[in-house]
Amino acid sequence: MIDDCHNISALAAVVSALDRFPHRKRTAVYAAGDARRDEDIIRQGEILAAAFDRVVLFDDPSVTDRAKGDVPGLLRRGLGIGPRVTEIIDVSDYREAVGKALALLAPGELGLVQTLDGDIESSLAVLAAIGVVSEEKSRGGAGTANKPHPRSVALPTIRSSSRPDSKKN
């Protein structure tokens, strides 16, 4: 699944929706995004730690208000509080994070890939480059030229999900 969950309420909604899926083992690719309070980033880590077995962290290039490594460090603090997570992996960039997570997924496992600051097209292009989704799917498929792009994608079928408009918690 691909989603643009960059704040507490959006992440909580995604986790709640994923609770309906039968997959026992779960992996998330995640970065908190730009302009977040420390406590909100830590809380996102706690939510991830309660819902996923493995979390792959990366430095989001949209983060301009912090030094490289600060946001993954805060997420790690929250991840350390949670009961479920057993593996935390730090990587340098988004493409590497997605590739690493997908390489580690076994059949029957669920993967959540966070978009790059709401840019689903870039995320789908990364998945197409890795070979997970076709180029047609990464462009939205046939007949979607005038349709709005979704905020969430369940591969291989594209689906929309609701997301709070608020970017800050």
Side-chain angles (χ1 to χ4, degrees):
M1 174 172 224
I2 304 171
D3 197 274
D4 181 41
C5 47
H6 279 84
N7 60 46
I8 293 170
S9 58
L11 179 58
V14 166
V15 166
S16 176
L18 293 179
D19 284 343
R20 296 182 190 115
F21 287 69
H23 308 83
R24 290 193 180 277
K25 186 150 185 187
R26 297 166 181 220
T27 297
V29 175
Y30 202 81
D34 198 21
R36 303 280 182 259
R37 299 177 307 180
D38 288 2
E39 59 268 25
D40 293 335
I41 296 170
I42 293 167
R43 179 67 186 126
Q44 288 177 65
E46 291 173 13
I47 293 168
L48 290 166
F52 294 91
D53 304 284
R54 177 188 302 125
V55 179
V56 181
L57 302 174
F58 66 97
D59 263 310
D60 187 330
S62 74
V63 175
T64 58
D65 61 336
R66 296 175 183 270
K68 188 170 177 69
D70 284 355
V71 171
L74 290 167
L75 284 168
R76 268 186 169 280
R77 283 179 49 194
L79 287 164
I81 297 169
R84 182 172 179 170
V85 71
T86 58
E87 185 177 8
I88 304 166
I89 302 168
D90 290 292
V91 297
S92 61
D93 65 31
Y94 183 72
R95 184 181 173 132
E96 181 185 357
V98 172
K100 180 74 171 175
L102 294 176
L104 292 170
L105 284 178
E109 293 182 7
L110 182 135
L112 170 67
V113 176
Q114 182 188 47
T115 63
L116 272 174
D117 201 30
D119 186 2
I120 192 105
E121 295 301 323
S122 291
S123 299
L124 290 172
V126 166
L127 289 167
I130 294 171
V132 174
V133 65
S134 70
E135 284 293 330
E136 181 179 318
K137 286 264 188 231
S138 74
R139 290 189 309 269
T144 61
N146 295 321
K147 294 180 183 175
H149 296 289
R151 292 275 187 188
S152 177
V153 177
L155 297 177
T157 305
I158 297 178
R159 296 185 180 132
S160 294
S161 75
S162 61
R163 175 185 172 280
D165 292 332
S166 172
K167 189 152 169 128
K168 296 185 177 149
N169 294 11

